[in-house]
């Protein structure tokens, strides 16, 4: 019979006997049989055997290990009763490990604390645990506590290593532990129904920082005697649970302080006490291990047991699972490739395997990135040989990421000071927000949202001839900025097709093919073509009286060409002319002399304008080499006409022409290296919403910022300080991601939309926020969130779509030659992958690294062992991470 059938039969028996049930508890014994307790006033004046006959009628075959049949009066002195439970979630090692193997825990239901939009009630509980000793578990806890306290957090450390107490010694407070003081005495008092004054068992570790410690106790004979009385196994099978009561006390106002975090130092190995510390009390389970094969299987079993567990918070919130984090310690402090491979890569891959149940069966959010929840601590002799933690903050640095894991679960001061108007205005702001996620060619209100940085301003200067950049870094945005700037005269010689407008001289791929054939036929060069093309662009764009060419050219020019066909025919007629290069150069010199001020000659669209076939790309290379060669020869002789060419970085690197060094100091490489500049792309577009701008004004009390925001200028955000950018960013999308190693949303975004060369594209950033805004609008209807305009989870939920768009743009707009490699990667399915898996695509691999589709995971440039795919393209390809760092 099962739990519910037994209870039903007892109810029937008591009903037939006309006896009222005050309380009924049925619980399976952890080894064999059942524990049963029935409380009824009808038992009064009945002998035990009579009571037993009534209750157990029809249940004679049951094995009864515990039977209490009591009146309410008898129950008062009888002691704790078994809890009414099937004990399916008892947090002890045998049950936890069995659950992880039985499949009774549905992985689809796993929900970590970091998956919640709302913060957990403080304090956050973190259990530090290691299956084997000697890996620095207690040391990691102590330094983490010190770092958190130094950052203004209130930290309470609890020594749960009762068999080998020593946490107080690490803090230099061992001599202050008194007899009858410490955790053992607190737990036993709670078990006996007493209410100990917890304040008498707490040591203050620092006089300046809010860091406290509850020691295990003074390890003397009395301590050992009391320790033998403890039976943690009974606490989860009876009414009183000293462990849970302890956490409740530490979370209540019975302390003179309110902890932000509680750090539990658990005993090494599989002990009765540390099971609950991991599988019940912990919000975070910080697992410390050294990547030796002896630790692999046992730690893996532990992780699977964690994923099948439910924390104590499940009673009041959604079903929550203890969230794992990993410290790999102590690893040799070496950057030698073989050391990294042996320790770091091995550990990351183990963790990926341990968490594979999440990766393979969960699709509710961004997959866990193993490197985000793993930290490597190198061996430091000064720490290993010290009797206590060191006060020198330089020694704390190795443990700062561990402290950040915990900090992301605690609201910052700015998050706790929310603008009063946000809940009322959020819906309207979401409707007003517009993120122009297309290419610069298609963006509306372009000049109003164009972001000027120090590098961009340099690129705009007339003396900069060449502007280089990877795909999506903003080259065409600069082209539009120059084109639409009323203060700067410019003439378009070549442009992307969407910006062609009424310029019939802008040629497409078919036109370039015809020009190439004419050049071959006439024996002329691409230099000759670009001279003529530039002259024609000036001729058809010139304001005022136009300088005229030599008669030999005028006779062929005739009427102005009005379409591309007429233009190609004009070239076909003009190129055979004798000395056409000299004639074109003379004509361009006349334009230069006639110009009253600086005029920029703009060249953009040199990448896609030629087409995407192999023949098109070869034609493009010849044409661009001819253009740049012409500029090196001609550019310095022009006084008022200034060439400005926008070119994709990978194309530039593949070019071979004389005097390439001519462009040193006269070119700019567009890169987004400053995060605050990069995020201004989003801030400036968001502030086009009047309601959001008003919210910012109400929320950020900085005079200079308020003055700028109140002005009508659309350029004010170009001059925001870094701190102001981040404050507005936090109001828009929140400060913390919680689930990743990066504590801040801005770090998460910076990492996730970087390509394999760590380059960042404003287009990908805008796409991410456009998707996140739409996601937030839908989510807000069913699950309101009032802390920020867009909740952080919207970013991670939108990344997959951005990845798909980024890959589509990479392949279909630019690099179709990578399609075979993409197909191969889809078949591999996991990143990182071995170079031998794709060895037949050597040329494509080199190019893929060049454009940021891949990066080296293991090995050197000349001897690659493994590659990895960046997050920007991972989901788009359909790959998953396999221990990817």
């Amino acid at each position: 019979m099962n739990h519910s059938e037994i209870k039903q039969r007892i109810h029937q028996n008591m009903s037939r006997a006309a006896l009222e049930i005050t309380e009924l508890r049925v619980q399976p014994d952890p080894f064999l049989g059942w524990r049963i307790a029935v409380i009824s006033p009808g038992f009064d004046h009945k002998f035990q055997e009579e009571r037993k006959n009534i209750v157990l009628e029809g249940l004679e075959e049951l094995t009864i290990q515990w039977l209490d049949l009591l009146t309410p009066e008898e129950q008062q002195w009888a002691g704790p009763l078994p809890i009414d439970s099937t004990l399916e979630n008892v947090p002890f090692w045998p049950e936890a490990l069995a659950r992880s193997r039985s499949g009774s825990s549905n992985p689809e239901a796993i929900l970590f604390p970091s998956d919640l939009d709302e913060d957990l009630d403080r304090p956050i509980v973190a259990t530090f645990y290691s299956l084997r000793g000697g890996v620095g578990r207690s040391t990691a806890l102590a330094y983490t506590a010190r770092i958190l306290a130094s950052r203004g957090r209130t930290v309470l450390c609890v020594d749960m290593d009762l068999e080998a107490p020593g946490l107080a010694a690490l803090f230099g407070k061992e001599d202050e532990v008194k007899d009858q003081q410490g955790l053992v005495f607190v737990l036993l008092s709670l078990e006996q129904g007493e209410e100990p004054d917890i304040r008498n068992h707490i040591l203050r570790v620092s006089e300046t920082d809010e860091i406290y410690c509850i020691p295990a106790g003074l390890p003397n004979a009395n301590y050992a005697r009391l320790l033998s009385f403890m039976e943690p196994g009974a606490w989860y099978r009876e009414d009183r649970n000293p462990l849970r009561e302890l956490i409740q006390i530490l979370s209540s106002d019975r302390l003179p302080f309110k902890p932000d975090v509680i750090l539990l130092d658990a005993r090494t190995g599989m002990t009765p006490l540390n099971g609950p510390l991991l599988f019940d009390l912990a919000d975070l389970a910080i697992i410390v291990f050294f990547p030796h094969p002896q630790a692999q299987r046992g730690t893996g079993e532990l992780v699977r047991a964690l994923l099948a567990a439910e924390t104590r918070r499940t009673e009041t919130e959604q079903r929550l699972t203890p969230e794992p984090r990993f410290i790999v310690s102590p690893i040799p402090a070496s950057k030698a490739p073989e050391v990294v491979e042996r320790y770091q890569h091995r550990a990351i891959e183990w963790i990926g395997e341990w968490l594979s149940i999440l990766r393979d069966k969960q699709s509710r959010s961004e997959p866990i990135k193993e490197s985000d929840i793993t930290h490597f601590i190198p061996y430091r002799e000064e720490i290993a040989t010290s009797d206590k933690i060191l006060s020198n903050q330089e020694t704390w640095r190795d443990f700062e990421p561990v402290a950040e894991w915990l900090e992301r679960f605690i609201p910052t001061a700015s998050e706790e000071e929310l603008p009063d108007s946000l809940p009322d205005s959020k819906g309207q702001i979401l409707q007003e927000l517009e993120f122009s996620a297309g290419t610069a060619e298609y963006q509306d209100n372009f000049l109003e949202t164009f972001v000027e940085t120090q590098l961009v301003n340099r690129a705009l200067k007339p003396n900069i001839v060449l502007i280089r950049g990877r795909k999506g870094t903003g080259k065409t945005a600069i082209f539009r900025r120059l084109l639409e700037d009323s203060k700067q005269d410019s003439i378009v010689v070549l442009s992307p097709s969407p910006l062609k407008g009424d310029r019939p001289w802008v040629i497409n791929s078919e036109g370039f093919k015809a020009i190439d054939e004419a050049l071959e036929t006439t024996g002329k060069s691409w230099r000759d073509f670009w001279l003529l093309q530039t002259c024609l662009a000036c001729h058809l764009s010139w304001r005022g009286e136009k300088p005229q060419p030599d008669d030999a050219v005028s006779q062929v020019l005739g009427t102005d060409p009005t379409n591309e066909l007429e233009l190609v025919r004009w070239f076909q007629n003009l190129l055979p002319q004798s000395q056409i290069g000299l004639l074109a150069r003379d004509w361009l010199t006349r334009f230069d002399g006639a110009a009253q001020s600086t005029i920029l000659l703009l060249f953009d669209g040199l990448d896609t304008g030629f087409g995407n076939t192999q023949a098109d790309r070869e034609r493009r290379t010849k044409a661009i080499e001819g253009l740049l060669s012409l500029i090196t020869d001609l550019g310095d002789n022009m006084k008022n006409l200034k060439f400005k060419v926008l070119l994709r970085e990978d194309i530039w690197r593949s070019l071979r022409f004389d005097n390439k060094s001519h462009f040193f100091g006269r070119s700019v490489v567009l890169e987004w290296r400053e995060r605050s500049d990069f995020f201004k792309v989003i801030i400036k577009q968001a502030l086009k919403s009047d309601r959001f701008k008003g919210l910012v004004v109400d929320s950020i009390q900085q005079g200079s910022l308020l003055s700028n925001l109140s002005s009508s200028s659309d350029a004010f955000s170009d001059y925001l300080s870094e701190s102001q950018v981040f404050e507005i960013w936090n109001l828009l999308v929140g400060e913390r991601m919680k689930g990743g190693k990066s504590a801040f949303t801005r770090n998460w975004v910076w990492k996730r939309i970087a390509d394999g060369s760590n380059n960042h594209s404003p287009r990908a950033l805008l796409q991410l926020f456009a998707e996140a805004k739409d996601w937030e609008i839908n989510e807000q209807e069913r699950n309101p969130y009032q802390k920020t305009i867009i909740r952080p989870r919207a970013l991670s939920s939108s990344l997959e779509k951005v990845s798909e768009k980024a890959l589509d743009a990479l392949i279909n707009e630019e690099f179709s030659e990578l399609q075979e490699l993409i197909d191969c990667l889809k078949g591999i399915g996991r990143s990182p992958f071995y170079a031998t898996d794709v060895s037949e695509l050597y040329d494509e691999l080199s190019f893929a690294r060049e454009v940021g589709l891949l990066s080296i995971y293991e090995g050197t440039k000349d001897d690659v062992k493994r590659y990895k795919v960046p997050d920007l393209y991972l989901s788009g390809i359909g790959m998953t991470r396999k221990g990817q760092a």
Side-chain angles (χ1 to χ4, degrees):
M1 300 181 73
N2 61 32
H3 175 270
S4 59
E5 291 171 337
I6 295 172
K7 292 186 69 175
Q8 183 180 9
R9 186 56 187 260
I10 292 174
H11 273 288
Q12 292 172 353
N13 292 342
M14 294 291 285
S15 179
R16 280 198 297 268
L19 299 180
E20 175 190 352
I21 295 178
T22 302
E23 195 161 2
L24 171 59
R25 301 188 180 189
V26 176
Q27 179 191 108
D29 185 83
F31 300 102
L32 178 67
W34 297 88
R35 299 179 173 199
I36 298 174
V38 183
I39 311 300
S40 172
F43 288 154
D44 194 26
H45 304 300
K46 287 183 171 59
F47 294 110
Q48 181 69 14
E49 192 64 26
E50 186 178 1
R51 300 178 186 183
K52 182 176 179 181
N53 290 336
I54 293 172
V55 171
L56 296 183
E57 182 180 353
L59 299 173
E60 292 81 4
E61 299 300 321
L62 290 181
T63 301
I64 307 296
Q65 298 290 356
W66 172 318
L67 183 63
D68 273 333
L69 307 175
L70 307 170
T71 66
E73 292 77 15
E74 292 168 344
Q75 195 271 329
Q76 292 179 8
W77 50 260
L81 299 176
I83 59 174
D84 185 47
S85 171
T86 61
L87 295 185
E88 290 181 356
N89 292 311
V90 169
F92 295 108
W93 285 100
E95 293 85 354
L97 292 172
R99 280 194 297 271
S100 69
R101 286 298 180 184
S102 68
S104 60
S105 175
N106 182 4
E108 297 295 337
I110 289 177
L111 186 70
F112 292 132
S114 65
D115 293 325
L116 301 174
D117 291 326
E118 300 294 337
D119 294 308
L120 297 176
D121 292 335
R122 283 176 281 178
I124 305 302
V125 178
T127 297
F128 284 69
Y129 173 80
S130 60
L131 189 65
R132 302 173 64 86
V135 292
R137 178 198 72 247
S138 299
T139 300
L141 181 150
Y143 277 107
T144 299
R146 273 290 193 183
I147 294 167
L148 287 170
S150 71
R151 296 178 179 179
R153 302 301 185 182
T154 301
V155 185
L156 177 60
C157 307
V158 185
D159 192 351
M160 293 283 190
D161 190 351
L162 304 185
E163 289 81 0
L167 193 58
L170 272 178
F171 289 119
K173 297 292 180 178
E174 186 175 28
D175 293 340
E176 297 183 19
V177 182
K178 303 173 183 176
D179 196 14
Q180 302 294 318
Q181 183 186 32
L183 185 65
V184 168
F185 304 96
V186 171
L187 292 175
L188 288 176
S189 296
L190 292 171
E191 184 178 25
Q192 294 164 14
E194 301 174 2
E195 295 186 4
D197 189 341
I198 197 72
R199 295 173 297 179
N200 297 329
H201 299 272
I202 296 177
L203 304 176
R204 180 157 189 168
V205 172
S206 169
E207 294 300 323
T208 56
D209 295 328
E210 295 293 310
I211 178 170
Y212 303 88
C213 175
I214 299 180
L218 185 62
N220 54 22
N222 186 46
Y223 176 90
R225 179 183 66 84
L226 294 175
L227 185 60
S228 67
F229 295 154
M230 296 184 63
E231 295 184 33
W235 296 343
Y236 283 81
R237 299 184 175 98
E238 298 176 356
D239 270 339
R240 296 192 68 93
N241 188 327
L243 275 177
R244 286 196 171 185
E245 288 186 35
L246 173 68
I247 297 300
Q248 290 173 357
I249 292 172
L250 300 180
S251 306
S252 70
D253 57 5
R254 293 168 63 178
L255 292 181
F257 56 88
K258 175 70 173 180
D260 290 307
V261 295
I262 297 175
L263 307 183
L264 307 180
D265 191 21
R267 175 76 173 148
T268 295
M270 296 182 180
T271 70
L273 180 59
N274 62 26
L277 305 185
L278 287 165
F279 307 125
D280 180 45
L281 302 187
D283 298 313
L284 265 70
I286 299 178
I287 312 303
V288 189
F289 72 98
F290 181 78
H292 189 280
Q294 291 178 343
Q296 181 178 11
R297 182 164 184 174
T299 309
E301 293 293 336
L302 159 65
V303 173
R304 281 184 280 270
L306 277 174
L307 299 180
E310 294 182 7
T311 75
R312 76 195 190 285
R313 294 187 188 264
T314 298
E315 295 181 0
T316 56
E317 305 184 44
Q318 303 178 67
R319 179 192 189 277
L320 291 181
T321 298
E323 186 156 348
R325 295 290 186 272
F326 300 93
I327 296 176
V328 183
S329 169
I331 62 171
S334 171
K335 294 183 180 180
E338 61 273 15
V339 173
V340 173
E341 177 182 354
R342 177 178 299 175
Y343 298 108
Q344 297 194 20
H345 289 177
R346 174 192 287 175
I348 288 288
E349 288 170 9
W350 286 1
I351 293 168
E353 293 169 1
W354 299 337
L355 298 177
S356 60
I357 190 172
L358 298 176
R359 181 178 60 237
D360 295 338
K361 296 186 178 181
Q362 287 193 308
S363 59
R364 51 176 171 70
S365 63
E366 182 197 17
I368 284 179
K369 188 173 184 180
E370 294 82 4
S371 60
D372 283 354
I373 60 172
T374 306
H375 178 55
F376 298 91
I377 296 181
Y379 174 80
R380 307 283 189 203
E381 184 174 358
E382 58 180 335
I383 293 177
T385 57
S386 176
D387 295 331
K388 58 184 180 180
I389 60 173
L390 303 174
S391 58
N392 179 6
Q393 294 194 13
E394 286 297 316
T395 63
W396 301 3
R397 188 169 301 166
D398 289 333
F399 301 91
E400 286 180 345
V402 184
E404 289 173 3
W405 286 338
L406 285 153
E407 275 208 296
R408 75 189 55 123
F409 289 92
I410 309 170
T412 63
S414 62
E415 289 174 316
E416 294 183 316
E417 298 175 358
L418 297 174
D420 295 335
S421 59
L422 192 150
D424 296 331
S425 59
K426 174 171 178 173
Q428 295 173 318
I429 292 173
L430 281 172
Q431 295 301 325
E432 286 185 357
L433 287 179
E434 291 292 339
F435 299 109
S436 301
T439 59
E441 296 95 310
Y442 298 103
Q443 290 183 15
D444 297 328
N445 302 317
F446 174 77
L447 289 180
E448 297 177 6
T449 56
F450 181 80
V451 173
E452 294 187 7
T453 67
Q454 185 175 1
L455 184 64
V456 167
N457 286 334
R458 181 166 179 257
L460 294 173
K461 292 181 178 180
N463 66 311
I464 296 300
V465 178
L466 178 64
I467 302 173
R468 296 148 41 200
R470 290 179 179 268
K471 178 179 174 57
T473 52
K475 298 184 301 300
T476 298
I478 288 181
F479 176 84
R480 276 196 68 178
R481 171 67 172 77
L482 293 168
L483 184 62
E484 299 177 20
D485 186 359
S486 59
K487 298 179 182 179
Q488 174 65 65
D489 288 336
S490 60
I491 291 175
V492 174
V493 182
L494 186 68
S495 77
S497 294
L499 297 177
K500 178 177 180 177
D502 57 353
R503 303 178 182 92
W505 64 89
V506 174
I507 304 176
N508 65 18
S509 59
E510 288 300 316
F512 279 121
K513 182 178 179 181
I515 295 297
D516 192 26
E517 292 172 352
L519 293 175
E520 289 286 340
T521 301
T522 60
K524 298 299 191 297
S525 70
W526 280 98
R527 286 167 55 103
D528 297 323
F529 162 76
W530 289 117
L531 269 171
L532 288 170
Q533 173 75 353
T534 304
C535 290
L536 183 62
C538 291
H539 175 73
L540 297 178
S541 304
W542 203 259
R543 298 175 183 175
E545 186 176 352
K546 302 177 183 180
Q548 295 301 312
D550 185 91
D551 291 341
V553 176
S554 296
Q555 293 173 4
V556 177
L557 181 60
T559 59
D560 294 342
T562 60
N563 56 53
E564 193 165 355
L565 178 61
E566 293 179 1
L567 180 74
V568 169
R569 287 175 176 171
W570 181 77
F571 277 107
Q572 290 172 336
N573 292 330
L574 196 58
L575 285 172
Q577 296 292 318
S578 171
Q579 299 180 329
I580 188 59
L582 291 174
L583 293 172
R585 185 166 183 155
D586 174 71
W587 191 14
L588 187 60
T589 301
R590 296 181 189 184
F591 279 113
D592 184 53
Q596 300 299 310
S597 61
T598 299
I599 298 176
L600 301 180
L601 303 175
L602 303 180
F603 295 77
D604 193 16
L606 288 163
D607 43 11
T608 57
F610 284 84
N612 287 316
T613 68
Q614 181 61 31
D616 291 334
R617 289 192 290 271
E618 292 174 357
R619 183 179 303 115
R620 178 184 67 192
T621 298
K622 292 188 298 180
I624 297 175
E625 287 176 347
L627 171 62
L628 297 181
S629 178
L630 170 66
I631 293 174
T632 60
D633 178 44
L634 185 65
D636 289 338
N637 297 322
M638 310 294 289
K639 296 181 179 180
N640 294 310
L641 299 183
K642 301 294 182 182
F643 289 93
K644 192 170 285 287
V645 178
L646 298 106
L647 187 63
R648 212 171 62 208
E649 179 69 11
D650 62 286
I651 297 176
W652 164 259
R653 293 185 181 183
S654 66
L655 299 177
R656 300 289 183 269
F657 62 94
D658 292 338
N659 298 319
K660 194 174 183 180
S661 61
H662 171 85
F663 292 94
F664 293 171
R666 305 177 65 190
S667 66
V668 164
V669 179
L670 288 182
E671 294 178 313
W672 295 89
R673 295 302 181 190
E674 297 296 329
R675 301 187 191 194
S676 59
D677 285 342
F678 187 58
F679 294 142
K680 285 178 185 177
V681 173
I682 285 298
I683 298 301
K684 194 162 186 179
Q685 294 208 10
L687 287 170
K688 296 302 293 180
S689 161
D690 290 334
R691 287 187 175 88
F692 182 65
K693 182 184 288 189
L695 188 67
V696 171
V697 171
D698 292 340
S699 305
I700 303 178
Q701 301 302 315
Q702 294 188 31
S704 60
L705 176 60
L706 295 177
S707 174
N708 284 331
L709 285 171
S710 300
S711 71
S712 60
S713 170
D714 289 314
F716 72 88
S717 60
D718 294 325
Y719 307 103
L720 293 173
S721 68
E722 181 181 83
S723 62
Q724 290 169 339
V725 168
F726 292 158
E727 284 187 78
I728 299 174
W729 170 277
N730 293 343
L731 188 61
L732 177 64
V733 75
E735 189 169 1
R736 296 169 298 135
M737 286 300 293
K738 293 195 301 183
K741 187 174 183 179
S742 302
F744 300 107
T745 52
R746 58 181 183 265
N747 293 347
W748 184 93
V749 170
W750 183 256
K751 291 175 60 178
R752 291 303 190 272
I753 63 173
D755 69 8
S757 301
N758 202 32
N759 289 291
H760 297 82
S761 162
R763 187 197 300 186
L765 178 65
L766 289 164
Q767 288 172 340
L768 179 64
F769 272 79
E771 293 289 344
K773 186 205 79 168
D774 292 342
W775 185 97
E776 181 67 32
I777 290 174
N778 294 328
E779 185 71 8
Q780 183 73 5
E781 292 180 359
R782 66 181 189 87
N783 181 22
Y785 180 80
Q786 307 299 351
K787 291 187 177 182
T788 56
I789 304 303
I790 298 172
R791 72 193 76 190
R793 185 160 59 93
L795 297 174
S796 57
S797 298
S798 303
L799 182 62
E800 183 174 352
K801 289 185 177 179
V802 175
S803 179
E804 292 170 355
K805 291 180 179 180
L807 183 70
D808 181 72
L810 186 76
I811 301 303
N812 295 326
E813 295 180 18
E814 305 285 355
F815 308 119
S816 58
E817 61 266 39
L818 291 174
Q819 186 61 59
E820 185 178 359
L821 175 60
I822 295 294
D823 293 338
C824 184
L825 295 180
K826 290 179 179 178
I828 294 172
R830 297 281 175 84
S831 172
F833 58 91
Y834 286 96
T836 53
D837 294 338
V838 287
S839 57
E840 69 280 5
L841 299 173
Y842 179 81
D843 291 337
E844 289 84 350
L845 286 170
S846 178
F847 187 53
R849 280 170 45 201
E850 173 70 25
V851 300
L853 177 64
L854 298 178
S855 62
I856 297 173
Y857 177 71
E858 187 179 306
T860 64
K861 180 179 178 181
D862 297 325
D863 185 20
V864 180
K865 302 297 184 185
R866 284 192 286 180
Y867 294 96
K868 67 176 180 180
V869 178
D871 291 313
L872 181 61
Y873 299 118
L874 196 71
S875 297
I877 296 174
M879 302 180 81
T880 58
R881 303 186 191 93
K882 184 179 181 181
Q884 177 168 318

